[in-house]
Amino acid sequence: MTVCVLHVAAEMYPLLKTGGLADVVGALPPAQMQLGTDARVVLPAFPSVVAGLTQIEHVADLGPAFGLGNVRLERGVLEPHAIVVYIVRADAFYNRPGNPYLDASHTQYADSDRRFALLGWAAARIAHGADSTWRPDVVHAHDWHAGLAPAYLRAWERTSGVRVPSVITVHNLAYQGVFPAAEFGVLQLPADFFSVDGIEFYGHLSFLKAGLFYADRITTVSPTYAREIQTRVQGAGLDGLLRTRTHDITGILNGVDKTVWNPATDTAINTQYSVEKISGKEKCKAALQERMGLARDPDALLFGVVSRLTEQKGIDLLLSALPDIVQRGGQLVVLGTGDPALENGLKYAAAANPQSVAVELGFDETLSHSIIAGSDIVMVPSRFEPCGLTQLYALAYGSLPLVHCVGGLADTVVDTSLENLADEIATGFVFEKFDRPSIVAAVRRAFALKARRPDWKAVVHRAMEQDFGWEASALRYAEVYHELTV
Ligand code: ADP
Ligand code: GLC
């Protein structure tokens, strides 16, 4: 039997991306289609989403909702994989400048509860037959933005007797979609859903909690993060609920979309390369040094970072290790955007070390590929990291990841200790404790390995041969759906 699944999300690469969620929602459905799952996606009709789809057609009028007149459901196609994408047309909510969460001046929208409640509600409408030609067997919600989809499905099951199972994937427990309790009436959920066994969270509404409570299964994006979020220290206030659902939680690693992230075919980088023909990587490094205004020195160990600049990402720790990198003759390139204090700290470091530190503030897909390809080392010193994708891209590009031992970083990178080097399993640099001495020790291991040419080459080679494709993950998701549909 072909399982039909509807992914519910706020972002999807290449239509709209602010982080790894978009990469996952862009890559998982095509991988599922390859395996015979009929995967579709529903997104808010943000301007770039509408602009990026072809063959858009009207599916249904969903009527008035959340104070809006008529909400329309449309359906388009995303090439090159011909993924069917539903869009929820509510221009008053979604047709705005800025990104999905912040307005043009980086302030959160005041009505995001309604904007994303509508997304979950529309997904449940599709599950209940809004498109007469297709119905999902499973609704798969991603993060808090889609957290109300499982709640609406449960609510409507009561009145209709129709049961559509749901899965929620936690990409990041730190973002919970918490709103004032006074908004509960607007959501059109049964009154008893406002409860500690429901959507209520310390006197507020939490969309993520609703998803975690009402979904039939919970997945998160790495096995280690699946364990971490069930602890008090890393459970962000939801660990109690998560522990009660421990048997329904699965950690499934993200993958690499090899149609987008492959150094042998990547047209965004200076020179394509592969394990067999690695010389192109040096050209990528030289091009990156030139592009960023750094000294053109092939021997300078080049550290790269592509990241949201938030507390999560450990940029403060990276800054604390910067003097050690520079003193040893290394260079640092950072591409990112986010917290003004971190942006300023990075800008200051670049101004103080113009030959060896370069920072580009902003979101730039092409430059992100150039940095992943041109760096010797890609740093991901996150405080916590549900999965992390840049370290996976770095492995594929033979740029050794230097990471903190948490979440998906711990599951995907093997430290270059002498033992691991001897056992031929090392793929990067992993530090255990989130403190300056630990990251500096990892930086020193990176310089030490670089000085041992044959070992360096062997580790780069091994990194490039790691296989973090989407197929294995898609198979794991298929198992989760299977349990819900037999
Ligand atoms: P997160 O989702 O927490 O931001 P991930 O490592 O899972 O972290 O995914 C981040 C994704 O966003 C990667 O594809 C990365 O290349 C991309 N990215 C992050 N910041 C930028 C930026 N400033 N410009 C371009 N791409 C970026
Ligand atoms: C989140 C996490 C990141 C993960 C991504 C995709 O944004 O912070 O670790 O890789 O989602 O699942």
Side-chain angles (χ1 to χ4, degrees):
M1 180 192 100
T2 301
V3 173
C4 298
V5 60
L6 178 68
H7 292 279
V8 192
E11 314 183 8
M12 179 180 191
Y13 178 86
L15 297 171
L16 175 65
K17 165 169 166 178
T18 70
L21 170 65
D23 288 0
V24 173
V25 178
L28 177 58
Q32 293 181 316
M33 297 293 273
Q34 287 274 322
L35 294 178
T37 300
D38 184 0
R40 298 188 176 190
V41 181
V42 57
L43 302 169
F46 295 122
S48 67
V49 170
V50 178
L53 295 175
T54 60
Q55 303 169 51
I56 293 183
E57 52 189 0
H58 181 262
V59 174
D61 284 327
L62 301 180
F66 305 99
L68 300 174
N70 183 34
V71 175
R72 281 175 300 143
L73 183 68
E74 297 177 350
R75 190 181 51 217
V77 174
L78 177 60
E79 300 297 354
H81 303 292
I83 300 299
V84 176
V85 177
Y86 292 94
I87 51 175
V88 185
R89 278 273 193 180
D91 286 350
F93 278 180
Y94 304 136
N95 189 6
R96 300 177 182 177
N99 80 26
Y101 324 111
L102 307 173
D103 67 17
S105 60
H106 292 267
T107 309
Q108 294 202 3
Y109 293 115
D111 56 355
S112 275
D113 46 359
R114 295 167 196 224
R115 295 167 69 239
F116 289 107
L118 175 62
L119 175 65
W121 179 85
R125 289 288 300 270
I126 299 171
H128 277 255
D131 180 351
S132 58
T133 64
W134 188 87
R135 240 179 225 248
D137 302 303
V138 178
V139 170
H140 188 154
H142 296 267
D143 271 353
W144 75 262
H145 325 108
L148 289 198
Y152 287 113
L153 290 173
R154 282 296 169 101
W156 299 351
E157 183 181 337
R158 280 188 189 172
T159 44
S160 67
V162 176
R163 172 169 167 69
V164 183
S166 62
V167 177
I168 186 160
T169 295
V170 181
H171 294 265
N172 196 331
L173 199 71
Y175 299 96
Q176 303 187 349
V178 174
F179 300 103
E183 289 293 301
F184 181 71
V186 175
L187 303 181
Q188 306 167 46
L189 285 166
D192 61 296
F193 277 41
F194 186 77
S195 152
V196 62
D197 287 328
I199 186 174
E200 189 268 345
F201 185 61
Y202 294 104
H204 292 73
L205 307 175
S206 164
F207 282 26
L208 182 62
K209 187 188 167 206
L212 297 176
F213 187 81
Y214 291 109
D216 297 275
R217 290 283 187 287
I218 298 168
T219 73
T220 186
V221 286
S222 68
T224 295
Y225 193 61
R227 287 191 298 276
E228 289 170 349
I229 58 175
Q230 296 180 59
T231 64
R232 204 176 58 79
V233 176
Q234 294 179 78
L238 289 166
D239 49 293
L241 168 58
L242 288 165
R243 280 194 298 275
T244 67
R245 303 218 51 193
T246 190
H247 299 297
D248 296 325
I249 301 178
T250 316
I252 303 178
L253 269 182
N254 291 331
V256 175
D257 184 341
K258 289 173 188 161
T259 63
V260 182
W261 291 98
N262 177 353
T265 54
D266 191 336
T267 51
I269 62 178
N270 179 274
T271 308
Q272 294 165 357
Y273 62 92
S274 60
V275 179
E276 295 77 33
K277 207 164 164 279
I278 195 92
S279 58
K281 186 161 175 49
E282 288 157 29
K283 299 202 177 98
C284 291
K285 177 170 174 179
L288 180 62
Q289 287 171 326
E290 182 160 334
R291 156 81 168 77
M292 302 302 289
L294 295 173
R296 281 275 304 257
D297 178 358
D299 294 326
L301 194 62
L302 178 49
F303 293 74
V305 174
V306 178
S307 183
R308 291 184 293 113
L309 302 178
T310 62
E311 206 205 347
Q312 172 190 347
K313 299 294 179 177
I315 304 299
D316 47 341
L317 188 67
L318 160 70
L319 283 170
S320 80
L322 189 57
D324 298 82
I325 293 176
V326 173
Q327 270 162 24
R328 286 171 198 278
Q331 296 179 333
L332 174 71
V333 168
V334 182
L335 167 64
T337 174
D339 180 347
L342 294 171
E343 290 189 348
N344 288 337
L346 287 164
K347 273 287 171 205
Y348 180 80
N353 305 280
Q355 292 284 300
S356 44
V357 180
V359 174
E360 181 106 353
L361 300 178
F363 198 93
D364 184 336
E365 195 70 36
T366 305
L367 182 57
S368 74
H369 284 245
S370 307
I371 294 176
I372 298 289
S375 301
D376 295 303
I377 308 279
V378 168
M379 298 182 92
V380 195
S382 309
R383 282 187 165 72
F384 67 92
E385 195 61 74
C387 178
L389 288 167
T390 50
Q391 86 281 10
L392 298 182
Y393 303 154
L395 288 168
Y397 282 67
S399 311
L400 303 183
L402 189 155
V403 305
H404 181 209
C405 190
V406 280
L409 302 172
D411 292 338
T412 55
V413 183
V414 180
D415 184 50
T416 303
S417 63
L418 279 178
E419 304 89 300
N420 292 340
L421 206 52
D423 291 348
E424 301 184 352
I425 55 171
T427 57
F429 309 93
V430 183
F431 59 94
E432 300 277 336
K433 282 177 70 181
F434 189 84
D435 60 17
R436 194 183 113 74
S438 304
I439 190 172
V440 167
V443 163
R444 291 185 61 179
R445 284 203 293 288
F447 278 99
L449 189 70
K450 183 70 179 174
R452 300 162 59 142
R453 292 231 164 226
D455 286 334
W456 174 269
K457 275 191 181 160
V459 177
V460 167
H461 203 279
R462 190 171 312 115
M464 293 179 81
E465 287 185 333
Q466 299 298 301
D467 185 12
F468 288 105
W470 268 106
E471 193 186 321
S473 316
L475 280 168
R476 302 285 316 277
Y477 283 110
E479 285 166 18
V480 174
Y481 302 157
H482 182 72
E483 287 169 17
L484 295 175
T485 50
V486 284

